[in-house]
Amino acid sequence: MPDASDESMEEYGAEDLARRYKISIQQARRYIRRFGSDRAELDLLLAAANRTPRHRVEEIERTVSEVTFG
């Protein structure tokens, strides 16, 4: 029988999701509200949208001209 620590590893809280994917807490709450808090499903969803933790950091570091002109 899983204990409480096992369950917390299987679900994201908004803070955990925001920290892992470098998104705002509001965006993390929207994902959880819309798709649920299952860790595996959210990881798949964000991976399908090319949202890996590294991707977000690289996106933030881009300059305005890089964003505008690709």
Side-chain angles (χ1 to χ4, degrees), residues 9-11 13 16 23 28 30 33-34 47 52 57 67-68 70:
M9 295 302 291
E10 295 174 5
E11 293 186 353
D16 295 331
I23 58 177
R30 283 192 293 270
R33 187 171 43 250
R34 186 163 185 191
T52 62
V57 171
V67 172
T68 305

Side-chain angles (χ1 to χ4, degrees), residues 7-54:
E7 186 173 318
S8 66
M9 295 302 291
E10 295 174 5
E11 293 186 353
Y12 274 120
E15 295 83 11
D16 295 331
L17 185 63
R19 186 174 27 258
R20 177 163 172 82
Y21 287 97
K22 311 290 190 274
I23 58 177
S24 70
I25 192 75
Q26 294 84 3
Q27 183 65 39
R29 286 181 182 138
R30 283 192 293 270
Y31 278 126
I32 291 171
R33 187 171 43 250
R34 186 163 185 191
F35 301 106
S37 61
D38 182 75
R39 184 176 290 267
E41 286 190 32
L42 286 170
D43 285 340
L44 286 172
L45 174 75
L46 290 164
N50 288 325
R51 278 290 195 228
T52 62
R54 180 180 168 102

